[in-house]
Amino acid sequence: MTTSTIHTAPSDDPDSVFERACRLIETELGGHRLPSEPRTWLDDLARTRQHKTAFITAFWNTCFPSGLVEACRGVEAVYPYLGRDGLCTDAALTAAWKVLEPDAHTWPERLQTERRRAADDCLNRALAEANRAVADHV
């Protein structure tokens, strides 16, 4: 993992050369900017809460659960299985699948495969949307 060691940007312009270089490092090399101040457990808790809220909204809008409660259940089921970087894992997909399609085991195998692939796509879109929403507020 690569990290940018500059704590403050020389310009607050979001399209500055510095910002583009940092985004390139973050996206191409998987790097993360160092925070300007030490983070506390309260900062992590607030960020987790903000991410879960954004994820519930994105899950509701992209995965089309039967209701808002179902969207909350889906996110709660998926969240412990997300990868270290907040990415979808096979276990997370399985957890979402069990919430979205609880009776899927009665379907033909071909339909299960097809619908699971669609659930994987919508779950990844929801995660990407939630990650963007949280990144925009950092």
Side-chain angles (χ1 to χ4, degrees), residues 7 13-15 21 33 36 39 45-46 48 50 54 56 61 75 79 83 90-91 101-102 110 128:
H7 292 286
D13 179 16
D15 292 322
R33 293 184 197 201
S36 57
R39 290 173 51 153
L45 181 64
T48 299
Q50 185 181 25
I56 289 169
N61 292 329
V75 168
Y79 217 80
D90 192 48
E101 304 292 351
R110 182 173 178 229

Side-chain angles (χ1 to χ4, degrees), residues 39-50:
R39 290 173 51 153
T40 65
W41 67 272
L42 194 55
D43 295 334
D44 290 338
L45 181 64
R47 181 171 166 78
T48 299
R49 187 177 203 170
Q50 185 181 25

Side-chain angles (χ1 to χ4, degrees), residues 1-4 19-32:
M1 180 166 88
T2 306
T3 58
S4 303
E19 286 296 317
R20 287 192 305 253
C22 287
R23 278 196 304 269
L24 178 67
I25 290 170
E26 290 169 359
T27 57
E28 295 296 322
L29 301 175
H32 302 283

Side-chain angles (χ1 to χ4, degrees), residues 51 54-64 86-88 93 100 117-133:
H51 187 263
F55 190 26
I56 289 169
T57 302
F59 193 87
W60 169 260
N61 292 329
T62 60
C63 296
F64 308 111
L87 301 176
C88 187
L93 174 60
L100 290 171
R117 195 172 312 127
D120 185 30
D121 289 343
C122 80
L123 185 61
N124 281 314
R125 280 195 321 267
L127 272 170
E129 187 177 318
N131 291 342
R132 272 192 312 273

